[in-house]
């Protein structure tokens, strides 16, 4: 549906945009100089580190900027400048012809209203539909974004939907009035890999179906490579490169773009594993600085010349409308960030003494009770978050734990450190039994295990300088004096790549990456034997992520610390892990050495996770193994395989009636819990396997 729009005429056009915020703490130049355009049926990817101004550009296009703001340049939507529109016209424009999908769908939805009523409200407001017409249209929209049972799902509240379902509802609301411009601000950042893949498939389908211009903001280069037609790279509020997606990834012309691409871990099934990740030194040029006559990236650039500090580069063009803001764009090659530094690979043949051993680990939430206390029918059964899982973490080794949201990853981590008491099973640290809760463990056991959480902001006290978190750990867990703690804190800050003066700063004065480094310094404080990292890098930019991953590797090499590393990013898992534990619905699907788990043959669930992982290569052909539905409710015990209800390789009734037994995989310590024989998994590719098992009778 084109509505008379010409494909060669931009729907949105940004010209020399600059956005300046005037705050009590000073002037913030969030956007300095940005220009791009988006045509009908096109996805423009907008990338860059946190603090580069990506979200400010998105909100400026919606007219969502606070009062004490100066906007220079033009923000044209279908030829009209959004920045000069009256408030009444902007109100009519938003949600009808311009729509936005936010990063966190939970905060974009009203928790007190059913999702159907929220969508119907949009339709009544902007399209003047009657109640019945709005209800019918809402059901059609829910169906168009792939939600099951579209006639009835509108009766649910947001908390009754999974993260992926919530995001689909928000997308349905954005599409309600057939917008000409759709802005998506990090719409997949908090989603697990399978949900992310289905949302990206939906974005690509929408691009072709609704013919809207789409601005897709993300720091995930794999996601951008999957959906974008053209890419704009921002740094310190400026457009530094703009080109077709393939040209950006295959032949970047700005050092910053080249650096971002080099920071991305290899795909989970890639072959090159020997080199450390490249990282971009330093931090983004501060928005409080005026800038002046210089290249803002020069302090971090590996090919900067003296002229870069005295003359601001202009945006230059080359063939195929490839623009780059760099005086020396012709010198940008894959080697400017240095040749890949070889990693010290650990031989899988060398056994490591187990630091942590888990046997039959179980965790249930709630208890089976009578409906009326002591009489009446049985009430709801407990939630079975973990059901008899086994694993080991060797000395100086990393166990990667993967699975969708709801699979039990975080519960396993919290049970290990004692934040939630396990319901059954055994945990041993260096051969000694661990009590169920952290309060009942000895001081030495508590000091030997530390946890790094996903959100460093929430784990640091906002009212105290960051020195408090580190020095307190040193005094309580390492038994150091005040003087010794201060000296050791200085050493730890330097070890995580921060200046010791950062100890006097409060958390809000640090970037997300700097906060996570402080959290790591606190975890390193007592020289623990095991660090449990729960999604510790999932919200970080690729450049900061590379720095943190290299930091963890260096610390492990120097101290022999073991890691339990939880993440939904399979590229990160491949980079950090010696062994991998794949969890599904509280059960072990696969477990073993990383190279065995990430290569065929593997469990069908592992195969689905790997096929969904975005690859930072626009030429890569994505596999289309998509799992319908979500991880099942964990209240009742499974009679058969926990994955049977969603398995694309299901072979018959045996999957529903008999739990799969362990079968040995491709090498020592590789276990696969699946009814499909290993030889069958090993002999065929996914398409051949699907054809054969479809015709195989059940046992």
């Amino acid at each position: 549906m084109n509505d008379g729009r010409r494909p060669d005429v931009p729907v949105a056009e940004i010209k020399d945009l600059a956005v300046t915020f005037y705050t009590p703490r000073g002037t913030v130049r969030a956007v300095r100089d940005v220009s791009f355009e988006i045509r009908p049926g096109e996805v423009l990817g907008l990338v860059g580190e946190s603090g580069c101004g990506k979200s400010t550009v998105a909100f400026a296009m919606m007219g969502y900027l606070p009062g004490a703001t100066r906007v220079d340049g033009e923000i044209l939507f279908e030829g009209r400048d959004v920045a000069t529109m009256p408030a009444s016209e902007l109100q009519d424009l938003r949600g009808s012809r311009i729509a936005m999908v936010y990063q966190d769908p939970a905060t974009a939805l009203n928790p007190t209203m059913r999702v159907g009523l929220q969508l119907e409200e949009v339709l009544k407001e902007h399209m003047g539909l009657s109640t019945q017409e709005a209800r019918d249209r809402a059901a059609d929209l829910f169906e168009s974004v792939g939600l099951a049972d579209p006639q009835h799902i509108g009766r649910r509240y947001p908390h009754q939907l999974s993260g992926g379902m919530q995001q689909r509802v928000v997308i349905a609301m954005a599409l309600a009035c057939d917008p000409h411009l759709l802005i998506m601000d990090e719409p997949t950042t908090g989603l697990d890999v399978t949900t992310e893949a289905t949302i990206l498939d939906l974005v690509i389908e929408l691009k072709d179906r609704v013919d809207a211009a789409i601005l897709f903001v993300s720091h995930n280069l794999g996601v951008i490579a999957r959906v974008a037609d053209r890419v704009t790279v921002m740094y310190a509020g400026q457009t530094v490169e703009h080109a077709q997606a393939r040209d950006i990834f295959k032949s970047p012309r700005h050092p910053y773009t080249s650096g971002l691409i080099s920071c991305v871990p290899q795909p989970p099934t890639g072959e090159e594993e020997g080199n450390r990740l490249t990282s971009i030194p330093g931090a983004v040029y501060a928005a409080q600085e005026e800038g002046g006559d210089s290249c803002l990236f020069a302090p971090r650039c590996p090919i900067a010349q003296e002229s870069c500090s005295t003359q601001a580069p202009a945006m230059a063009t080359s063939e195929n409308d490839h623009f780059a803001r760099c005086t020396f764009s012709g010198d940008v090659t894959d080697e400017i960030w240095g040749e890949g530094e070889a990693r010290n690979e650990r031989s899988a043949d060398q056994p490591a003494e187990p630091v942590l051993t888990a046997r039959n680990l179980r965790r249930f939430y709630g208890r089976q009770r009578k409906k009326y206390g002591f009489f009446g029918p049985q009430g709801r059964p407990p939630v079975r978050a973990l059901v008899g899982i086994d694993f080991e973490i060797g000395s100086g080794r990393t166990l990667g734990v993967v699975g969708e949201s709801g699979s039990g990853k975080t519960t396993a981590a919290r049970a290990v450190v004692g934040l939630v008491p396990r319901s059954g099973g055994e945990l041993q640290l260096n051969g000694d039994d661990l009590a169920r809760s952290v309060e009942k463990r000895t001081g030495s056991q508590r000091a030997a295990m530390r946890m790094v959480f996903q959100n460093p902001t929430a784990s640091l006290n906002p009212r105290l300088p960051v020195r408090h978190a580190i020095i307190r750990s040193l005094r309580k867990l390492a038994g150091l004096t005040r003087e010794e703690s201060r000296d050791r804190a200085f050493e730890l800050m330097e070890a995580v790549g921060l200046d010791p003066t950062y100890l006097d700063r409060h958390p809000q004065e640090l970037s997300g990456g700097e906060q996570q480094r402080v959290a790591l310094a606190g975890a390193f404080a007592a020289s623990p034997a095991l660090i449990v990292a729960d999604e510790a890098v999932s919200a970080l930019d690729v450049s900061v992520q590379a720095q943190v991953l290299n930091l963890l590797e260096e610390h492990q090499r120097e101290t022999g610390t073991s890691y339990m590393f939880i993440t939904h990013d399979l590229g990160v898992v491949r980079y950090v892990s010696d062994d991998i534990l794949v969890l599904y619905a509280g059960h072990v699907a696969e477990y073993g050495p990383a190279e065995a788990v990430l290569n065929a043959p593997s469990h069908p669930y592992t195969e689905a996770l790997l096929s969904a992982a975005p690859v930072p290569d626009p030429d890569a052909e994505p596999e289309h193994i998509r799992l319908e539905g979500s991880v099942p409710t964990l209240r009742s015990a499974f009679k058969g395989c926990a994955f049977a209800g969603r398995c694309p390789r299901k072979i018959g009734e045996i999957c529903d009636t008999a739990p799969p037994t362990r079968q040995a995989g491709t090498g020592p310590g590789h276990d696969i819990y699946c009814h499909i024989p290993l030889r069958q998994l090993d002999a065929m590719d996914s398409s051949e396997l699907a054809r054969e098992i479809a015709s195989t009778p059940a046992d």
Side-chain angles (χ1 to χ4, degrees), residues 73-85:
E74 295 180 297
I75 309 171
L76 302 180
F77 172 71
E78 297 182 337
R80 298 193 59 198
D81 195 339
V82 171
T84 60
M85 280 187 186

Side-chain angles (χ1 to χ4, degrees), residues 598-619:
L598 296 178
N599 292 294
S602 59
H603 192 282
Y605 181 57
T606 309
E607 180 190 17
L609 293 179
L610 293 172
S611 74
V615 177
D617 181 359
D619 291 338

Side-chain angles (χ1 to χ4, degrees), residues 501-686:
T501 58
Y502 277 62
L503 287 168
D504 295 320
R505 300 190 185 186
H506 285 71
Q508 61 268 27
E509 298 178 277
L510 307 179
S511 68
E514 289 169 342
Q515 290 178 357
Q516 195 63 287
R517 289 175 183 236
V518 170
L520 288 171
F524 294 160
S527 299
L530 175 66
I531 292 178
V532 179
D534 186 8
E535 298 279 11
V537 299
S538 63
L540 302 181
D541 301 312
V542 290
S543 57
V544 179
Q545 174 183 275
Q547 294 171 357
V548 171
L549 293 178
N550 287 336
L551 171 63
L552 289 169
E553 184 181 40
E554 290 170 7
H555 183 78
Q556 185 176 63
R557 185 171 63 248
E558 293 171 1
T559 66
T561 301
S562 301
Y563 298 129
M564 182 177 181
F565 199 96
I566 297 169
T567 182
H568 63 257
D569 189 326
L570 296 183
V572 170
V573 165
R574 173 185 181 273
Y575 183 76
V576 303
S577 300
D578 299 291
D579 306 289
I580 293 178
L581 175 68
V582 183
L583 292 180
Y584 181 80
H587 295 70
V588 177
E590 189 167 0
Y591 171 62
E595 62 275 9
V597 173
L598 296 178
N599 292 294
S602 59
H603 192 282
Y605 181 57
T606 309
E607 180 190 17
L609 293 179
L610 293 172
S611 74
V615 177
D617 181 359
D619 291 338
E621 287 292 333
E623 295 188 38
H624 291 282
I625 302 176
R626 299 294 183 257
L627 301 179
E628 298 295 329
S630 57
V631 178
T633 303
L634 306 178
R635 290 193 177 275
S636 301
F638 294 99
K639 294 181 180 179
C641 174
F643 187 53
R646 301 172 70 201
C647 183
R649 309 283 185 246
K650 186 175 177 181
I651 58 176
E653 184 180 357
I654 187 174
C655 297
D656 294 317
T657 58
T661 57
R662 181 186 68 84
Q663 58 175 321
T666 56
H670 184 200
D671 300 331
I672 300 176
Y673 293 82
C674 182
H675 288 296
I676 302 173
L678 183 68
R679 56 177 175 76
Q680 201 170 359
L681 291 172
D682 192 25
M684 308 166 193
D685 62 27
S686 57

Side-chain angles (χ1 to χ4, degrees), residues 243-267:
Q244 296 292 325
R246 190 179 190 282
D247 293 336
I248 287 286
F249 284 92
K250 299 298 184 181
S251 56
R253 309 307 297 162
H254 194 282
Y256 179 61
T257 309
S258 175
L260 288 179
I261 295 172
S262 68
C263 291
V264 181
Q266 291 292 319

Side-chain angles (χ1 to χ4, degrees), residues 304-424:
Q305 306 294 324
E306 185 177 349
S307 60
C308 298
S309 301
T310 59
Q311 182 179 358
M315 186 70 84
T317 183
S318 60
E319 66 279 359
N320 301 324
D321 290 330
H322 193 152
F323 299 89
R325 192 187 298 270
C326 181
T327 306
F328 304 101
S329 60
D331 297 334
V332 176
T333 65
D334 294 340
E335 290 75 32
I336 64 171
W337 292 97
E339 295 185 6
E341 182 181 343
R343 301 173 66 189
N344 293 327
E345 295 294 333
R346 188 183 299 105
S347 173
D349 297 331
Q350 296 176 352
E353 290 296 323
V355 169
L356 183 80
T357 303
R359 292 288 179 264
N360 196 28
L361 184 63
R362 302 189 302 279
R363 170 61 187 174
F364 299 168
Y365 289 96
R367 291 187 299 171
Q368 184 83 46
R369 298 176 182 271
K370 297 287 188 180
K371 185 174 183 179
Y372 304 110
F374 296 102
F375 59 91
Q378 292 287 347
R380 301 179 74 186
V383 174
R384 304 161 63 85
L386 291 175
V387 186
I389 69 172
D390 300 339
F391 61 86
E392 284 186 352
I393 305 178
S395 176
R397 293 178 69 85
T398 299
L399 174 70
V401 184
V402 300
E404 295 170 281
S405 297
S407 290
K409 305 186 303 296
T410 295
T411 299
R414 291 176 176 267
V416 165
V417 298
L419 292 179
V420 296
R422 63 185 184 274
S423 302

Side-chain angles (χ1 to χ4, degrees), residues 84-163:
T84 60
M85 280 187 186
S88 58
E89 291 188 33
L90 268 178
Q91 183 67 25
D92 292 336
L93 200 63
R94 298 176 187 137
S96 57
R97 287 189 292 159
I98 302 178
M100 190 165 184
V101 177
Y102 300 92
Q103 177 174 348
D104 186 356
T107 59
L109 295 170
N110 188 331
T112 66
M113 288 180 64
R114 302 179 192 272
V115 296
L117 291 177
Q118 297 185 55
L119 179 52
E120 291 168 23
E121 185 178 61
V122 175
L123 295 166
K124 292 177 182 178
E125 173 70 22
H126 291 289
M127 301 185 71
L129 301 184
S130 67
T131 299
Q132 186 59 48
E133 289 172 335
R135 188 171 299 146
D136 294 340
R137 171 69 172 154
D140 292 340
L141 286 165
F142 286 145
E143 184 177 16
S144 73
V145 296
L147 284 168
D149 196 13
Q151 298 293 333
H152 300 97
I153 198 168
R155 300 175 186 174
R156 300 187 190 181
Y157 289 93
H159 72 271
Q160 296 176 305
L161 305 177
S162 67

